């Protein structure tokens, strides 16, 4: 996988405001925060999208996320927040190294804005069956 800005942050080649680090995970402040405290959580493993991430790195991030969310809540005083994870340019991914955003939602105007054009479930039974079968082979 090609080097990204995040692999350079992991190696220390590019500076960041680090908030957490262990063998598998790094968390640091987003350079363009949607609200104060906007934090990025990344695996050190250089996977481009979440579906490519190993179970080991996924487990390490999953274990940490709630703790990092609590820390962001404590420091910003903001109870409400979004956790966002984009995969692919069409889904607003700009840096092709897996990352989770923790974005405080201090007010209606700050933090993450979401367009949510909800539709209606069609062929739900068939879709659920097919996905459930795919889970076993994925
Ligand atoms: P994406 O759209 O890929 O989910 O989000 C990438 C995020 O990385 C953006 O929120 C952007 O502000 C952040 N970002 C891009 N370059 C840098 C950088 O050099 N340092 C830090 N700390 N964040 C960055």
């Amino acid at each position: 996988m090609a080097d990204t800005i995040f692999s350079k942050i992991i190696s220390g080649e590019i500076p960041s405001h680090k908030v957490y680090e262990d063998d598998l995970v790094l968390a640091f402040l987003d350079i363009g925060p949607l609200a104060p405290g906007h934090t990025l959580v990344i695996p050190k493993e250089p996977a481009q999208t979440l579906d490519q991430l190993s179970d080991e790195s996924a487990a390490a991030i999953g274990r940490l996320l709630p703790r990092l969310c609590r820390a962001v809540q404590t420091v910003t005083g903001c109870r409400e927040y979004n956790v966002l994870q984009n995969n692919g340019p069409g889904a607003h991914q700009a840096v092709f190294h897996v990352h989770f955003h923790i974005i405080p939602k201090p007010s209606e105007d700050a933090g993450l804005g979401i367009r949510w054009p909800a539709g209606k479930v069609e062929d739900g039974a068939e879709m659920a069956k097919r996905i459930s079968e795919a889970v076993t082979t994925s």
Side-chain angles (χ1 to χ4, degrees), residues 5-6 9 28-32 40 86 92-95 99 101:
I5 201 98
F6 289 173
I9 286 176
F28 52 97
L29 295 183
D30 193 296
I31 203 169
L40 296 174
N86 299 326
H92 302 284
Q93 185 177 16
V95 179
H99 52 281
H101 297 256

Side-chain angles (χ1 to χ4, degrees), residues 46-57:
Q48 288 192 18
T49 51
L50 190 58
D51 48 280
Q52 295 170 6
L53 193 62
S54 69
D55 285 355
E56 191 188 17
S57 291

